[in-house]
Amino acid sequence: MKLGVNVDHVATLRQARRIDVPDPVLAAQICEGAGCDSIVCHLRQDRRHINDKDLDELRKVVKTKLNLEMSCAQEIVDIALRVKPDQATLVPERREEVTTEGGLDAAANKKIVRDVVKTLSSAGIAVSLFIDPEKAQIEAAKATGVECIELHTGRYANACTGPEIASELATLSESARFARSLGLQVFAGHGLNYENVKEITEINDIEELNIGHSIISRAVFVGLENAVKEMLDLIR
Ligand code: PXP
């Protein structure tokens, strides 16, 4: 299974002082050096962590795959068309949320999502949709013309009891299988950490995990290179 490391929270720490360290671009290089398969960042409309300059620099230095998480806002679409990440992952975005809370409602926003998918795909950018593990969302995602989806693992990560965890895992596993049966590539992420990732790695239909907060948090204690390597040991 592949690992994409989200470096947003390196920029979150930088923005706590509004200076220029720690640098998410240097972080991306260290993550790649440690063996990750892609770098993920989210250029939010409020620029609360990653900013336009970070994105330009990341495009220059990332050698694996640059995966830009983004909303469907025209301003961000225009930036994506200029920067040309290898992949764009469309996510919902609300200014007041602490982090991306739910998946994109591809079923309710078919037209805008289809238009953005078409625009980005025509520019040679692979497009993925971050959606909840639900049949209707997977079918809606397929109808927009994407080739890949990222299943939201937040409900699994937040589940507390054994039965709840088992039920969320079964939902993720069935969703991944269904998406694969439609010819979609399947990624997953959100809320995954060193304790809960193992069970997800047992779902063979999932190809790649995108993980941010837990890796950057662990890096505070063991260093970023070690934090990435520890996660790679768990998922490979
Ligand atoms: N995937 C997507 C689409 C996300 O929005 C995020 C959070 O930015 C992640 C994965 C990573 O989540 P976490 O930081 O909880 O590992």
Side-chain angles (χ1 to χ4, degrees):
M1 201 171 269
K2 291 182 179 166
L3 173 65
V5 181
N6 182 314
V7 295
D8 290 352
H9 294 304
V10 177
T12 301
L13 192 55
R14 177 190 64 193
Q15 294 314 104
R17 283 292 167 94
R18 298 206 169 81
I19 50 174
D20 55 6
V21 290
D23 179 9
V25 181
L26 177 57
Q29 291 172 295
I30 292 170
C31 293
E32 286 194 325
C36 78
D37 302 285
S38 56
I39 297 296
V40 188
C41 71
H42 184 173
L43 184 71
R44 296 184 76 103
Q45 287 167 268
D46 64 10
R47 308 297 197 273
R48 70 171 70 155
H49 36 52
I50 294 292
N51 61 36
D52 302 59
K53 181 165 168 279
D54 296 329
L55 181 61
D56 283 336
E57 293 297 315
L58 284 168
R59 177 62 298 181
K60 281 187 212 149
V61 309
V62 169
K63 294 192 174 69
T64 53
K65 170 173 96 170
L66 178 62
N67 177 3
L68 173 65
E69 287 179 15
M70 55 178 279
S71 70
C72 290
Q74 190 58 49
E75 180 217 354
I76 306 293
V77 172
D78 290 342
I79 292 170
L81 291 173
R82 177 179 60 74
V83 174
K84 289 206 168 44
D86 302 288
Q87 184 185 313
T89 301
L90 300 183
V91 301
E93 198 176 296
R94 288 194 303 122
R95 276 174 196 258
E96 61 277 18
E97 68 192 355
V98 175
T99 180
T100 312
E101 280 168 358
L104 187 72
D105 193 346
N109 298 285
K110 269 190 200 131
K111 175 154 170 35
I112 169 102
V113 175
R114 201 173 44 221
D115 289 351
V116 173
V117 169
K118 196 168 166 213
T119 305
L120 295 172
S121 311
S122 311
I125 301 167
V127 190
S128 174
L129 302 188
F130 181 55
I131 54 172
D132 288 328
E134 291 166 11
K135 196 163 182 242
Q137 292 297 341
I138 296 165
E139 284 170 337
K142 175 74 184 170
T144 67
V146 288
E147 286 170 12
C148 22
I149 56 165
E150 178 174 335
L151 295 177
H152 193 319
T153 50
R155 279 206 310 256
Y156 161 69
N158 291 333
C160 297
T161 65
E164 258 172 35
I165 294 170
S167 156
E168 293 302 337
L169 273 175
T171 301
L172 284 164
S173 177
E174 282 156 24
S175 299
R177 178 160 315 156
F178 177 60
R180 292 271 294 157
S181 76
L182 298 182
L184 294 164
Q185 271 186 291
V186 185
F187 312 139
H190 210 283
L192 298 179
N193 59 40
Y194 297 85
E195 277 77 46
N196 66 17
V197 78
K198 194 87 188 68
E199 288 81 356
I200 298 290
T201 64
E202 281 153 18
I203 304 177
N204 290 329
D205 291 309
I206 298 177
E207 278 180 40
E208 178 184 282
L209 301 180
N210 292 315
I211 306 181
H213 190 266
S214 62
I215 292 178
I216 304 306
S217 301
R218 178 109 183 106
V220 172
F221 300 107
V222 302
L224 186 53
E225 185 179 350
N226 287 332
V228 173
K229 284 185 172 160
E230 285 177 18
M231 187 58 82
L232 283 169
D233 283 347
L234 288 173
I235 74 172
R236 280 190 181 153

